[in-house]
Amino acid sequence: MPPMPGVRKQGRAQQADLDTVSGACATLLASLPRADQRRKGETYVRGLLSTPGRKTMRNLAAITDEPAAAQSLHHFISCSTWDWLAVRSSLAGQLNRLLSPRAWVVQSMLVPKTGQHSVGVERRYVPALGETVNSQQSYGLWLASEAAAAPVNWHLSIGKAWLQKNRTKAHATIPTGESGTTSDEAAVQAALKAAAWGLELRPIVMDARYSALHPLVEAFTAAGLPFLLRVSGSCTLLAAGVNQSDHRVVAASAEDLLGLARAQRRPVEWIDPTSPGARRTSLVAPLQVYWPSLPESRPQGSYTQVPTGSARNASLGLPLTLLGKWQTYERGVRQMWLTNITDAGYGPLLRLSKLIHRVDTDFSNISLNVGMQDFEGRSYAGWHRHVTLASVAHALQLLRGRCP
């Protein structure tokens, strides 16, 4: 095929790569209503894939021979009208077929900022860092398998204070229905919107140690979604009949409850996603617990068959499994996971939890290189369109590496 208009001539290998990108963009950007929008979208994706360093509009435009390309791309991202959700839905459908994901991993993306002008930027305390950081926070929904992971949806956390201060500014382009989103609500919305696209459901896996657990458990339960959430040791749960001689109902921290289940530990082998082929072994023990504020509920699909115990146990609340992970040389529990996938073996659950490492690895090796964090504009719509096309670029870079 001839080179795309406005693009510099390519060598044979480069032309073959251009053809691959063009074919993928023709599919993924088909929802864009105008031909010039689809052309600019392809140019933007190619720039994300090929431009070294930060993906500024000027650097992205440098791959073309058009004098006004930077201004044109800026308008396409920040001021145009195309629907980013339609592109994400198409991307999710394609990757669901190509990657055969085992889980949907919900992952936070924190971007430190020096100024206050970018959409959603405010000072927030970051427990993982132990300090307050001027930053922008969003959550991505990733399709993940042991071999690869790719983001398909994003939700930006916008505090009510920032919203009240900036809604009247035209550059923010905040939708009229947006009333402020906490980080936990952003995580939930990233998953719920993807679930509405008709994909085959997969367990939602998330590190929720620093999140408000109640909104996550209650939202995913209400939506009928299977989940596996990493929790902190201080999370309080109910347990009945922790050992054979004591059938009292106990309200205790996750760490203390798993201490009582220590004798049930069994070794489980798993493959480390960060070191292909490397096999590890951990000690794992499950414990049936209850979430007291919710009635018994069945997630959609075939992931969970909620046990029907005695009436006394059913009245405790939502039956869940608390999974503990120990290293073979340590006495204390290393990780604690809470799930409504109560009919799964603890081996499969442990392996699902490891997909967070797969996402971390591919985010570092691919997403950062295609400019996922590089948007510097002030537009809400611009941020969403940028991370959408960066997700397309991530997918193309990922599939490049998987193809011979």
Side-chain angles (χ1 to χ4, degrees):
M1 63 177 287
M4 189 174 63
V7 175
R8 294 170 181 164
K9 292 183 180 180
Q10 310 289 319
R12 182 174 298 178
Q14 291 173 313
Q15 181 62 45
D17 187 59
L18 174 60
D19 291 345
T20 300
V21 173
S22 295
C25 286
T27 298
L28 297 174
L29 306 182
S31 62
L32 275 63
R34 301 200 312 266
D36 67 303
Q37 291 176 327
R38 296 190 292 273
R39 179 174 63 84
K40 291 173 185 176
E42 181 180 334
T43 300
Y44 200 87
V45 170
R46 284 202 320 105
L48 293 173
L49 288 168
S50 61
T51 302
R54 290 190 63 82
K55 308 303 187 284
T56 65
M57 291 297 177
R58 178 176 295 181
N59 289 341
L60 295 177
I63 68 168
T64 77
D65 56 8
E66 298 177 1
Q71 182 179 356
S72 177
L73 289 178
H74 171 76
H75 184 276
F76 168 73
I77 291 296
S78 295
C79 307
S80 190
T81 58
W82 57 273
D83 180 8
W84 58 81
L85 286 176
V87 177
R88 294 179 190 178
S89 177
S90 177
L91 175 64
Q94 294 292 326
L95 288 175
N96 191 61
R97 178 177 59 86
L98 294 172
L99 298 184
S100 299
R102 293 191 59 225
W104 295 354
V105 177
V106 177
Q107 195 83 321
S108 171
M109 182 170 73
L110 189 79
V111 184
K113 297 284 187 177
T114 55
Q116 297 289 331
H117 300 297
S118 297
V119 61
V121 170
E122 55 189 343
R123 293 185 63 77
R124 48 172 55 87
Y125 180 72
V126 182
L129 301 177
E131 59 181 310
T132 300
V133 180
N134 192 63
S135 58
Q136 182 185 67
Q137 186 177 36
S138 60
Y139 278 83
L141 189 283
W142 293 65
L143 305 188
S145 67
E146 287 84 354
V152 296
N153 194 33
W154 293 92
H155 200 94
L156 183 63
S157 177
I158 302 179
K160 291 184 178 181
W162 188 95
L163 195 62
Q164 292 171 357
K165 182 179 179 181
N166 293 275
R167 184 183 287 281
T168 58
K169 295 182 179 180
H171 69 251
T173 62
I174 304 295
T176 56
E178 177 64 68
S179 60
T181 308
T182 66
S183 59
D184 307 310
E185 291 167 344
V188 168
Q189 288 303 315
L192 295 188
K193 287 183 179 178
W197 292 337
L199 303 175
E200 185 178 357
L201 293 181
R202 292 290 182 263
I204 295 170
V205 179
M206 178 180 171
D207 186 343
R209 286 175 295 166
Y210 308 115
S211 300
L213 203 54
H214 279 271
L216 299 177
V217 171
E218 295 188 6
F220 294 148
T221 300
L225 297 176
F227 61 79
L228 176 64
L229 306 176
R230 186 175 180 184
V231 299
S232 69
S234 61
C235 168
T236 300
L237 299 164
L238 299 179
V242 175
N243 56 59
Q244 293 182 354
S245 61
D246 186 355
H247 299 286
R248 294 175 299 173
V249 175
V250 176
S253 70
E255 186 171 12
D256 288 343
L257 288 174
L258 285 170
L260 299 175
R262 180 180 171 84
Q264 302 175 33
R265 296 181 304 168
R266 298 292 183 272
V268 172
E269 187 178 79
W270 50 278
I271 297 176
D272 190 344
T274 64
S275 302
R279 294 183 177 274
R280 318 288 188 199
T281 300
S282 298
L283 295 174
V284 178
L287 180 68
Q288 182 175 338
V289 296
Y290 297 87
W291 191 259
S293 63
L294 292 174
E296 185 174 312
S297 176
R298 292 178 181 268
Q300 298 175 14
S302 59
Y303 293 101
T304 303
Q305 297 296 321
V306 177
T308 54
S310 67
R312 182 174 64 87
N313 283 2
S315 68
L316 293 176
L318 176 69
L320 300 171
T321 293
L322 178 63
L323 187 76
K325 170 186 171 289
W326 291 257
Q327 294 300 103
T328 54
Y329 52 85
E330 292 179 342
R331 179 174 180 80
V333 60
R334 169 66 68 88
Q335 293 182 10
M336 287 146 279
W337 294 82
L338 191 66
T339 181
N340 60 351
I341 314 174
T342 55
D343 65 338
Y346 44 76
L349 289 174
L350 177 66
R351 295 181 189 105
L352 277 179
S353 74
K354 299 303 177 182
L355 295 179
I356 285 182
H357 299 315
R358 177 76 270 164
V359 169
D360 288 337
T361 299
D362 285 0
F363 177 80
S364 297
N365 294 341
I366 303 176
S367 284
L368 292 180
N369 291 334
V370 298
M372 190 68 75
Q373 296 187 333
D374 288 355
F375 182 71
E376 294 293 346
R378 301 179 179 184
S379 164
Y380 174 92
W383 180 87
H384 274 283
R385 293 195 182 100
H386 171 81
V387 296
T388 297
L389 295 182
S391 297
V392 170
H394 176 111
L396 291 175
Q397 185 65 33
L398 179 68
L399 296 173
R400 276 175 172 175
R402 287 163 59 91
C403 296

